Amino acid sequence: MMNTYDLVVIGTGPSGGRIAKKAAKKGWKVAVVDENEYGGTCPNKGCDPKKVMTGIAEVYDYAKRLRGSGLQGEVFLDWSDLKAFTNTFTDPVSKMTEQSFQESGVDTFHGTAVFQDPHTIVVNDDVLSANEFVVATGAKPSPLPIEGGEHVTTSDQFFELENIPERVLFVGGGYISFEFAHLCARLGKKVTLLHRSRHVLNGFDHEMTNKLIEMTKDLGVDIHVDTEVKSIEKRDNGSYRLNVKKFDHEHHFHADLVVHGAGRAPNVDKLGLEKAEVETSKDGIIVNHNFQSSQAHIYAVGDVADTGQPPLTPVAGEEARRLLNHLLENKEEEAIDLPVPSVVFTYPKLGKVGLTQQEASEKKIPYEVQSKNITSFYSYKKTNESGAYVKVLTNPVTDELIGAHFLTGAADHLVNLFTVAIHKKMTKQELSALLFAYPSEESDIPSFF
Ligand SMILES: Cc1cc2nc3c(=O)[nH]c(=O)nc-3n(C[C@H](O)[C@H](O)[C@H](O)COP(=O)(O)OP(=O)(O)OC[C@H]3O[C@@H](n4cnc5c(N)ncnc54)[C@H](O)[C@@H]3O)c2cc1C
């Protein structure tokens, strides 16, 4: 059946969903399409279920660290309970999201959207034409072009597992691998993590990631950097043998579950973008400052768009807000110039906002560093943390804060506070002069400098 719209949005995640609803509320005739659960990656198979799981693993770790300090008895992490509790968050998302679209007057379609020409897509038997399209199809695990690559379990599939087997191996050292590796190790599994290059957790401070590697090893995770997986073989007993190359030497690893943590790539393959004459790069759909692709009426936002921004939920939401300004208010947008905080939800957590030393050096931005081991601070002594670290970068001339890095149980909160400080161009003296509730991890801030 042929349907005609003002706007068709492909993808119902944090970027696409917001655009569809707001445009409909302005009186536009809007349709959305999704081939998976409504709501997209973050609430169904990403940030939210992950944070439920890592949050409980954090409480478990806390309880273990404080046993004998007022807490008694054993606690255990249990995968089936953890999964059942997590499902109470994810199960309602798709239906509720679809309902909210319908209540906003948006037509909803299920299936893969494929462009037939620059003004038409098909979704199963439906043909949808529109004046404007927004492609908000997110990202998917990067292809693993190795023999046996089909044996890896993706993060989507990880959430669905009935059991976590004894030996779990992660291919790739990104944040998803580290977060799941910590979880599996706390579930008592034998965990291995292999990373192709020297530095794991791309974009984070190297000194902090090295400390996190040491703490992750202390948790029992076997980490190998400079180790490239060449092929994966499935054995008769259902386990896997991984053939790897480390410094020109061949080695083998064995596992019962191999998890893909080797990065994510923009989700463009099935869209038929060549028929729409939309240009792409390896980082996604090429867009201008107004999120327009090579076809001015086809926009792209979120993880699928090549905007130079990190593929994170707050960024997807901000891009959606800006695109709405352009679509509904005809505003010319500018490139996003906000500090983007990012957290690895291991325990302790690793947080960053603003520049790393590496980035500042590459961009030839002068900086001063203040780096401190804060493990002995009251905040961390009282919770018996094995380590807590902070590193702050400032402009040596103005003393303005330009980067902040934390490896502590409170890294998520500290990094948010420093996001405000960096955005407001505060100096370290201005931040230190504020009064923070005491005792709290934030009240330690004046002692960081
Ligand atoms: C395991 C995991 C953990 C994460 N943790 C965090 C975190 O802690 N913090 C954070 O900020 N970010 C996190 N992210 C990233 C975050 O989920 C994404 O940045 C965010 O969801 C991007 O939103 P989006 O709107 O661009 O796309 P998505 O939310 O990915 O939505 C895209 C939608 O498009 C649909 N789609 C794709 N192709 C088609 C097609 N051809 N036709 C129809 N529908 C299509 C998909 O089914 C999907 O529903 C995590 C991601 C993963 C996988």
Side-chain angles (χ1 to χ4, degrees):
M1 206 173 88
M2 179 72 158
N3 307 271
T4 305
Y5 291 94
D6 295 321
L7 171 68
V8 169
V9 179
I10 309 171
T12 61
S15 58
R18 180 172 183 168
I19 292 165
K21 277 187 227 163
K22 293 255 173 177
K25 281 189 181 143
K26 275 272 180 180
W28 288 34
K29 188 171 183 232
V30 182
V32 288
V33 191
D34 207 303
E35 63 182 3
N36 289 306
E37 294 93 343
Y38 268 57
T41 307
C42 188
N44 288 299
K45 291 165 178 167
C47 342
D48 294 355
K50 179 233 15 222
K51 186 72 194 292
V52 175
M53 289 185 168
T54 57
I56 292 169
E58 179 180 338
V59 173
Y60 166 75
D61 197 83
Y62 222 108
K64 267 183 57 174
R65 270 182 283 125
L66 292 177
R67 206 168 54 204
S69 308
L71 286 176
Q72 284 192 358
E74 284 278 358
V75 281
F76 300 97
L77 261 189
D78 178 80
W79 174 253
S80 10
D81 280 2
L82 203 55
K83 200 181 141 192
F85 183 57
T86 305
N87 288 348
T88 65
F89 292 83
T90 51
D91 285 350
V93 170
S94 190
K95 196 165 169 223
M96 274 170 51
T97 310
E98 185 166 8
Q99 262 171 12
S100 77
F101 280 124
Q102 290 163 351
E103 282 159 17
S104 307
V106 177
D107 287 351
T108 56
F109 292 85
H110 292 262
T112 303
V114 186
F115 279 97
Q116 299 302 294
D117 62 54
H119 282 280
T120 318
I121 59 166
V122 292
V123 185
N124 299 321
D125 296 334
D126 290 301
V127 182
L128 278 57
S129 75
N131 296 332
E132 329 258 7
F133 288 87
V134 172
V135 182
T137 50
K140 61 181 171 68
S142 304
L144 264 187
I146 54 169
E147 198 185 317
E150 69 279 8
H151 297 310
V152 294
T153 292
T154 63
S155 58
D156 289 5
Q157 294 162 335
F158 182 85
F159 287 117
E160 302 296 324
L161 291 170
E162 286 306 321
N163 299 297
I164 306 288
E166 279 318 300
R167 296 171 302 171
V168 188
L169 186 146
F170 291 86
V171 179
Y175 75 95
I176 295 175
S177 277
F178 266 82
E179 291 169 344
F180 286 165
H182 271 231
L183 178 64
C184 289
R186 291 195 169 94
L187 282 161
K189 308 301 174 185
K190 185 175 179 305
V191 184
T192 307
L193 191 153
L194 309 180
H195 185 64
R196 194 163 56 167
S197 60
R198 174 67 44 91
H199 297 294
V200 297
L201 295 166
N202 191 18
F204 285 84
D205 178 86
H206 290 169
E207 244 181 287
M208 291 287 186
T209 55
N210 286 338
K211 287 194 167 77
L212 179 60
I213 286 181
E214 290 314 312
M215 292 164 103
T216 306
K217 284 181 176 171
D218 290 344
L219 193 61
V221 179
D222 188 21
I223 301 182
H224 296 260
V225 296
D226 286 315
T227 302
E228 189 173 358
V229 178
K230 291 298 200 183
S231 62
I232 305 172
E233 294 165 37
K234 186 161 187 174
R235 319 303 299 274
D236 291 342
N237 64 2
S239 70
Y240 301 96
R241 173 178 140 133
L242 287 91
N243 304 312
V244 310
K245 204 166 181 186
K246 185 171 186 175
F247 301 124
D248 283 336
H249 293 290
E250 289 190 4
H251 298 270
H252 310 292
F253 289 88
H254 295 269
D256 307 310
L257 175 71
V258 182
V259 184
H260 185 307
R264 289 172 66 79
N267 207 349
V268 289
D269 299 350
K270 293 184 282 179
L271 284 162
L273 290 175
E274 35 334 304
K275 287 198 183 149
E277 294 165 37
V278 167
E279 286 171 20
T280 59
S281 71
K282 70 172 183 22
D283 296 320
I285 295 178
I286 300 169
V287 291
N288 67 11
H289 55 285
N290 288 322
F291 305 97
Q292 285 167 303
S293 72
S294 47
Q295 291 283 354
H297 69 287
I298 302 179
Y299 300 82
V301 277
D303 289 6
V304 75
D306 179 359
T307 58
Q309 292 291 336
L312 294 169
T313 291
V315 173
E318 174 60 15
E319 290 179 358
R321 192 186 69 74
R322 286 166 183 245
L323 175 51
L324 279 163
N325 281 341
H326 178 70
L327 280 176
L328 304 179
E329 316 287 343
N330 224 1
K331 278 192 189 149
E332 280 293 305
E333 282 300 325
E334 286 172 12
I336 295 179
D337 186 23
L338 291 169
V340 180
S342 184
V343 173
V344 184
F345 288 97
T346 44
Y347 201 89
K349 296 163 206 151
L350 175 64
K352 75 155 253 188
V353 60
L355 293 171
T356 60
Q357 279 170 274
Q358 296 84 10
E359 287 162 351
S361 302
E362 276 161 28
K363 293 179 181 167
K364 301 203 174 2
I365 297 173
Y367 63 89
E368 250 170 30
V369 184
Q370 241 137 1
S371 187
K372 221 170 200 172
N373 180 342
I374 52 173
T375 316
S376 63
F377 279 29
Y378 162 80
S379 299
Y380 303 102
K381 241 174 128 175
K382 74 178 176 359
T383 52
N384 204 10
E385 307 272 331
S386 58
Y389 305 89
V390 53
K391 182 187 271 191
V392 177
L393 272 66
T394 49
N395 177 320
V397 181
T398 62
D399 234 7
E400 280 170 18
L401 298 158
I402 56 172
H405 307 271
F406 305 95
L407 181 61
T408 90
D412 43 354
H413 299 292
L414 289 167
V415 99
N416 278 337
L417 199 136
F418 272 76
T419 301
V420 179
I422 291 175
H423 180 55
K424 293 293 170 198
K425 300 192 184 315
M426 291 175 82
T427 63
K428 61 184 179 205
Q429 285 82 0
E430 285 168 336
L431 185 62
S432 300
L434 297 178
L435 302 184
F436 298 101
Y438 183 86
S440 66
E441 286 83 356
E442 289 80 0
S443 62
D444 294 335
I445 288 173
S447 314
F448 291 170
F449 307 113

